[in-house]
Amino acid sequence: MAYSSSLSLSVCFLVLFHGCFAQIDLVTNRGQSQREQQSQRHYQTQCQLQNLNALEPKYRYKSEAGVTELWDQNEEQFQCAGVAFLRHKIQRKGLLLPSFNNAPELLYVVEGHGIQGAIFPGCPETYQSQSQQSQNGQDKQQSSTDQHQKIRQFKEGDVIAMPAGVAHWIYNNGQSQLVLVSLVDVGNSANQLDQNFRKFFLAGNPQEGLVRGGQSQRQSRDRSQSQRGQEEEQQESGGNNLLSGFDEKLLAEVFRIDTRLARKLQNQNDKRGAIVNVEREFQLTSPQRVEEEQRQKESEEEEQEEEEEEQEERGQRRERREQGRKGESRSCNGLEETFCTMGLKHRTDSSYADVFNPRAGRITTVNSYNLPVLQALQLSAERGVLYKNAIFAPHWNINAHSIVYITRGSGRIQIVAENGEAIFDDQVEEGQVITVPQNHAVVKKAGRQGFEWIAFKTNANAKISQIAGRLSVFRGLPVDVLANSFDISREEAMRLKQSRQEMSLFSPRQGSHQ
């Protein structure tokens, strides 16, 4: 009797929860689709681009241990793509203070290496760090052991994903400067504020222009430099982190601390900015650090980390395939896997290349298939390396805008709109950004020093369609269609189809014909 009652109760709970989750999923999808339609309508009027320029940072915010640079998000090409773009330069032992954004973010490590932490609400503190300050038994157990959420190491060439509203921090534990470029997708449905980039700091006293994506500085650009400096100094003295606006007595009560410490949390007179110098080396424990201490060889540690990541990815893919065979939704593979332990980074070095031509270069793609969190962010990335005078086949992005940052070298980029006019045809250099709108044709050619870039794309699985090469549209068209379309002979059409046997990256030709 008791057994049947328990069974009946369990079935009732199962049906109830299933119905609740179905309702939540329905409401969420309906809300997202409405916001996406609103976003599309908003940006349809913003993409009438007649001329593009390669852009450089407009706003520069100096901190104690680094610099943050922002591009002007009012530029037409950024308004069209619905994104903001910024760059952090963090000095050795510099800490980018904990903060979160109003929209998903995708970062690329241009130079250096460091560690990063992301704090997901409701997830356990699975890492322990022990300080070396105290050697006394009980005191050491009580005060020198710290538990925290997972710490991730990264290095040059890594792509790091960060969901909207998730607090994170970055520390440069290397021996040189750390440079990160970041795209923030303010047009994403996860952002329910306005279309401006906002950065919410949990500590410190960053400049107001930084937390508002350059907005306050843009509004005061007509003022003199001295007036602007005075204004920023006044803003800094008021405090610009989230705790600054709370009453200090209420903060003291919330954290069970005295009001003196509560005032320290508000950082009202802190002049260090958003990137602060860490005087003492961090005492953080991670599997990577333990391995390094045991082996004292960084190369072996990195190889083991790569193997672990590959095994984790294979396990996730195997789990998704099993769920697919069972008819389960791809997005429902367990809260503990998708939220608390999901991977946030992927490497783009030569061993991860998806397309490689020994005479032309390589392309590495980071999307939701090799970094599943990107499915939720609806972002992806492409790292390109072209050798001297090599060409990336002319193509268009089928389902995404592409925001290209030049990481090394220089090259020529041409972008053509639907009316056949080139809206961009110029040389681009390291540190510049150019947006390739969706469906616009683009071709890249490297200069004498080679050409490297990272492209952020506004779709979790961005696709391209080539105009030339073995995988091109022309290769798939019948010869007669080509001959009649261009009013050429069948022989010329066949030569047009078969002239390039390379796939996507073209080696430079010796003595090209006009």
Side-chain angles (χ1 to χ4, degrees):
M1 184 69 179
Y3 173 78
S4 61
S5 300
S6 301
L7 181 62
S8 301
L9 186 60
S10 300
V11 172
C12 290
F13 275 121
L14 181 62
V15 173
L16 177 62
F17 287 144
H18 185 273
C20 290
F21 283 124
Q23 290 280 350
I24 293 172
D25 186 60
L26 178 61
V27 173
T28 303
N29 290 337
R30 183 182 302 165
Q32 286 183 349
S33 63
Q34 290 176 351
R35 287 191 295 273
E36 288 172 357
Q37 291 175 3
Q38 292 172 358
S39 178
Q40 290 172 0
R41 286 196 297 268
H42 174 77
Y43 289 116
Q44 279 177 348
T45 60
Q46 304 294 324
C47 286
Q48 302 299 322
L49 301 174
Q50 304 298 323
N51 187 40
L52 292 176
N53 295 304
L55 303 175
E56 297 185 358
K58 186 170 184 179
Y59 308 116
R60 181 182 175 90
Y61 299 97
K62 296 184 66 175
S63 299
E64 179 186 50
V67 174
T68 299
E69 299 169 311
L70 277 74
W71 277 252
D72 185 3
Q73 57 183 316
N74 277 348
E75 287 284 348
E76 287 185 346
Q77 56 185 277
F78 290 151
Q79 290 287 314
C80 170
V83 300
F85 205 89
L86 62 151
R87 179 170 61 198
H88 296 294
K89 296 181 178 179
I90 305 175
Q91 299 172 7
R92 180 176 177 269
K93 298 177 71 174
L95 171 67
L96 178 61
L97 294 174
S99 64
F100 60 90
N101 304 323
N102 62 326
E105 180 179 20
L106 208 54
L107 301 98
Y108 177 76
V109 185
V110 179
E111 177 185 340
H113 64 86
I115 56 177
Q116 177 257 359
I119 298 85
F120 289 93
C123 295
E125 297 86 9
T126 56
Y127 278 43
Q128 275 191 348
S129 297
Q130 287 196 348
S131 172
Q132 299 176 356
Q133 295 177 352
S134 174
Q135 300 296 330
N136 299 327
Q138 288 185 347
D139 183 56
K140 182 174 181 180
Q141 292 180 359
Q142 293 177 358
S143 62
S144 63
T145 300
D146 175 39
Q147 290 186 325
H148 50 79
Q149 289 193 20
K150 184 176 180 178
I151 293 175
R152 299 167 175 87
Q153 294 198 24
F154 60 82
K155 66 174 186 176
E156 179 179 328
D158 285 355
V159 171
I160 304 172
M162 194 55 54
V166 172
H168 57 277
W169 54 270
I170 293 174
Y171 175 63
N172 180 2
N173 65 345
Q175 300 300 317
S176 60
Q177 180 179 239
L178 173 62
V179 180
L180 303 141
V181 291
S182 168
L183 176 130
V184 182
D185 186 14
V186 294
N188 194 286
S189 61
N191 174 27
Q192 299 189 31
L193 300 175
D194 54 34
Q195 301 299 323
N196 295 315
F197 165 53
R198 303 185 189 186
K199 198 167 188 65
F200 298 81
F201 281 87
L202 297 174
N205 186 20
Q207 297 92 331
E208 184 178 356
L210 175 56
V211 301
R212 294 183 179 273
Q215 296 296 314
S216 64
Q217 184 169 345
R218 180 164 56 253
Q219 292 170 357
S220 61
R221 60 176 174 237
D222 295 330
R223 303 181 184 182
S224 66
Q225 186 68 32
S226 60
Q227 289 177 329
R228 185 181 299 149
Q230 293 173 0
E231 181 183 1
E232 290 184 355
E233 184 176 354
Q234 292 173 358
Q235 291 169 352
E236 290 178 0
S237 65
N240 277 319
N241 71 56
L242 285 182
L243 302 182
S244 301
F246 289 114
D247 179 76
E248 63 185 43
K249 293 181 179 180
L250 183 57
L251 276 181
E253 182 179 356
V254 167
F255 288 103
R256 289 187 176 180
I257 56 177
D258 55 58
T259 54
R260 179 196 62 80
L261 183 54
R263 285 193 294 271
K264 289 284 291 182
L265 297 180
Q266 297 178 325
N267 294 97
Q268 292 187 355
N269 296 312
D270 193 337
K271 304 296 183 182
R272 298 177 298 167
I275 306 171
V276 302
N277 184 59
V278 176
E279 296 181 0
R280 296 181 179 179
E281 196 69 31
F282 271 10
Q283 299 296 329
L284 296 174
T285 299
S286 66
Q288 297 87 356
R289 179 174 176 179
V290 172
E291 292 165 7
E292 185 177 4
E293 291 174 351
Q294 293 174 347
R295 303 175 187 181
Q296 296 185 357
K297 290 183 180 180
E298 185 177 2
S299 59
E300 294 182 9
E301 172 215 341
E302 292 175 352
E303 289 177 3
Q304 181 166 347
E305 184 182 355
E306 289 176 2
E307 291 176 1
E308 290 175 355
E309 289 182 352
E310 290 175 357
Q311 290 175 2
E312 183 178 353
E313 289 177 7
R314 286 196 294 267
Q316 291 174 0
R317 288 196 295 267
R318 186 163 53 248
E319 185 176 345
R320 287 194 294 272
R321 286 196 299 267
E322 291 175 357
Q323 290 171 348
R325 285 194 294 267
K326 294 177 182 179
E328 297 177 9
S329 172
R330 178 182 178 182
S331 62
C332 302
N333 38 337
L335 176 64
E336 69 285 348
E337 189 276 325
T338 58
F339 200 67
C340 292
T341 61
M342 61 183 173
L344 295 179
K345 71 166 185 173
H346 193 275
R347 292 181 174 168
T348 63
D349 54 32
S350 57
S351 62
Y352 288 84
D354 297 297
V355 178
F356 175 65
N357 184 335
R359 297 178 301 276
R362 65 179 184 270
I363 299 292
T364 305
T365 301
V366 182
N367 55 31
S368 67
Y369 293 108
N370 49 28
L371 189 58
V373 67
L374 295 179
Q375 184 65 37
L377 273 60
Q378 281 301 299
L379 292 171
S380 58
E382 167 197 275
R383 183 188 179 190
V385 176
L386 286 180
Y387 303 152
K388 177 182 176 180
N389 296 329
I391 298 173
F392 185 13
H395 63 274
W396 67 86
N397 291 282
I398 294 176
N399 57 350
H401 300 296
S402 179
I403 297 84
V404 183
Y405 175 86
I406 290 77
T407 57
R408 285 185 180 85
S410 62
R412 182 184 179 186
I413 296 181
Q414 287 185 308
I415 303 174
V416 180
E418 72 278 4
N419 58 1
E421 293 185 3
I423 60 176
F424 183 82
D425 183 4
D426 205 349
Q427 294 288 322
V428 291
E429 300 177 348
E430 180 178 337
Q432 293 183 322
V433 174
I434 183 73
T435 301
V436 182
Q438 179 184 6
N439 299 141
H440 287 54
V442 57
V443 63
K444 301 182 181 76
K445 182 176 181 179
R448 294 184 177 181
Q449 303 301 319
F451 185 32
E452 299 183 22
W453 71 90
I454 182 72
F456 300 101
K457 302 195 176 188
T458 57
N459 193 294
N461 295 295
K463 302 178 180 65
I464 67 170
S465 183
Q466 291 182 199
I467 301 175
R470 283 179 58 190
L471 302 178
S472 67
V473 172
F474 281 14
R475 193 68 175 259
L477 289 173
V479 172
D480 288 335
V481 172
L482 282 174
N484 285 275
S485 296
F486 295 106
D487 194 17
I488 57 178
S489 66
R490 295 187 85 258
E491 291 74 17
E492 290 173 322
M494 182 63 71
R495 191 162 63 248
L496 183 64
K497 284 188 64 171
Q498 305 293 338
S499 60
R500 278 286 186 182
Q501 297 303 317
E502 296 163 306
M503 297 183 64
S504 301
L505 303 178
F506 300 160
S507 56
R509 295 179 59 183
Q510 301 294 329
S512 59
H513 298 285
Q514 298 294 329

